[in-house]
Amino acid sequence: MLQEIRRAGPGRLRAAALTVLAEMAGENGLSARDQAAVERLIRIKLLGDRPEPLSGCWLHWIAVPTGDQRGILDLLGLTQPRPVTFALANDVVDADGHDGPADGPGCFARVFVSPELDGWTFVAGRWCDPIGNERADEVLRACERLSACYGRAQAFYYGAQGDGSAWVVAEQGAVIRRYSETGDGDDHLLTIGSPLPYERDRRVELGLAPDWNAAHASEDEEDEWQSAVFDMAPALAQAIGLSPLAIGSDTPMHGTGVLALTEYGTADGVPPGAYSI
């Protein structure tokens, strides 16, 4: 019935029918004509597309200091890249971030691989989660491989609604730091390496010892540090590289961003949804 409305009207219902089809069945629910129209609209919008900051309630990304988008896709085993606007990428990343592993593997099905932005490329999406049980080990190894090729690689989690921060920092093929503060009692089990200079400097600013052992810290010290770290991921990302939350229309850009399939998406497809372009 919805496809018939798209073909024959009434005209006042055609736009709503397209949205419902996309929400229910995804791209496969659209006619070849509608799919071609969507692709054409994306191409038109890309002509004037400019960087937009990454936004969403739960953000996961990998940052690599290179413009070699094709090399990153190949190294991470990402396939079927399709050009997208920043608005579309943000909508997809946010939607997938709201789905958890309990909702099925669809939340890991795709990622946004940015164009080169001021010398950096971002891979964004739930698949980049550096601390979740499902992906932490794989993301750590991905950072090792990327840093072996490009010198450095960093992965971050940021809960923009006060849900904590985490990071993985790799250099020359080895992880030098992993740290997480999310309020989970097992956060400390993820810790690898010594505090980064930024972490030490931030503690000094707070009047805390630059080096610390959580087992011997006072409760007040731990609470103050945890409160600071919960919102630290974007600032740390900017301090040691580039934060996707800090980019904007004036950020130097080369190339076009793409949505690409992960191994989950290749095996099982992507969840349906209607997104902004």
Side-chain angles (χ1 to χ4, degrees), residues 42-163:
I42 291 173
R43 290 197 299 270
I44 292 170
K45 291 288 188 180
L46 280 171
L47 295 175
D49 200 41
R50 293 300 302 164
E52 295 180 8
L54 191 64
S55 63
C57 296
W58 297 278
L59 301 174
H60 314 80
W61 73 91
I62 296 171
V64 191
T66 181
D68 184 14
Q69 185 189 72
R70 181 71 258 175
I72 290 174
L73 288 164
D74 291 343
L75 193 150
L76 294 179
L78 303 172
T79 60
Q80 301 182 44
R82 301 173 68 178
V84 290
T85 62
F86 278 90
L88 176 52
N90 245 329
D91 232 15
V92 169
V93 168
D94 185 43
D96 291 350
H98 279 80
D99 292 332
D103 300 311
C107 63
F108 300 133
R110 56 198 167 181
V111 290
F112 171 56
V113 185
S114 77
E116 181 181 353
L117 299 167
D118 202 12
W120 290 76
T121 298
F122 298 112
V123 183
R126 187 65 179 268
W127 184 81
C128 302
D129 185 358
I131 56 171
N133 292 334
E134 299 81 6
R135 293 289 306 156
D137 290 344
E138 286 298 325
V139 171
L140 185 145
R141 286 192 284 270
C143 287
E144 289 176 333
R145 297 197 305 274
L146 288 165
S147 70
C149 185
Y150 301 108
R152 289 185 288 162
Q154 305 149 8
F156 295 89
Y157 159 72
Y158 176 52
Q161 304 297 319
D163 294 312

Side-chain angles (χ1 to χ4, degrees), residues 1-276:
M1 181 182 68
L2 292 167
Q3 290 170 340
E4 178 61 25
I5 291 171
R6 288 295 302 165
R7 285 191 296 269
R12 69 182 186 279
L13 298 180
R14 296 186 78 249
L18 181 63
T19 300
V20 176
L21 278 168
E23 288 285 8
M24 291 176 58
E27 186 176 12
N28 291 335
L30 307 185
S31 68
R33 181 177 179 180
D34 280 341
Q35 290 184 35
V38 170
E39 294 289 346
R40 184 166 60 252
L41 179 58
I42 291 173
R43 290 197 299 270
I44 292 170
K45 291 288 188 180
L46 280 171
L47 295 175
D49 200 41
R50 293 300 302 164
E52 295 180 8
L54 191 64
S55 63
C57 296
W58 297 278
L59 301 174
H60 314 80
W61 73 91
I62 296 171
V64 191
T66 181
D68 184 14
Q69 185 189 72
R70 181 71 258 175
I72 290 174
L73 288 164
D74 291 343
L75 193 150
L76 294 179
L78 303 172
T79 60
Q80 301 182 44
R82 301 173 68 178
V84 290
T85 62
F86 278 90
L88 176 52
N90 245 329
D91 232 15
V92 169
V93 168
D94 185 43
D96 291 350
H98 279 80
D99 292 332
D103 300 311
C107 63
F108 300 133
R110 56 198 167 181
V111 290
F112 171 56
V113 185
S114 77
E116 181 181 353
L117 299 167
D118 202 12
W120 290 76
T121 298
F122 298 112
V123 183
R126 187 65 179 268
W127 184 81
C128 302
D129 185 358
I131 56 171
N133 292 334
E134 299 81 6
R135 293 289 306 156
D137 290 344
E138 286 298 325
V139 171
L140 185 145
R141 286 192 284 270
C143 287
E144 289 176 333
R145 297 197 305 274
L146 288 165
S147 70
C149 185
Y150 301 108
R152 289 185 288 162
Q154 305 149 8
F156 295 89
Y157 159 72
Y158 176 52
Q161 304 297 319
D163 294 312
S165 290
W167 47 84
V168 173
V169 178
E171 295 182 357
Q172 306 301 327
V175 169
I176 63 170
R177 181 63 163 162
R178 181 169 67 180
Y179 191 72
S180 174
E181 286 284 2
T182 65
D184 187 325
D186 290 334
D187 275 335
H188 66 283
L189 299 177
L190 292 167
T191 300
I192 295 174
S194 300
L196 300 170
Y198 182 90
E199 295 175 61
R200 291 191 173 97
D201 291 345
R202 188 71 183 94
R203 286 182 66 87
V204 171
E205 291 174 4
L206 294 169
L208 304 174
D211 294 289
W212 74 98
N213 184 328
H216 299 100
S218 71
E219 185 174 341
D220 287 345
E221 288 175 328
E222 278 300 290
D223 288 346
E224 186 169 5
W225 178 239
Q226 184 181 68
S227 177
V229 173
F230 261 45
D231 294 322
M232 191 177 289
L236 174 61
Q238 189 68 14
I240 64 176
L242 183 67
S243 169
L245 284 78
I247 63 174
S249 59
D250 59 344
T251 301
M253 179 178 77
H254 299 283
T256 300
V258 297
L259 277 180
L261 297 186
T262 68
E263 66 274 24
Y264 297 89
T266 300
D268 302 315
V270 300
Y275 308 108
S276 300

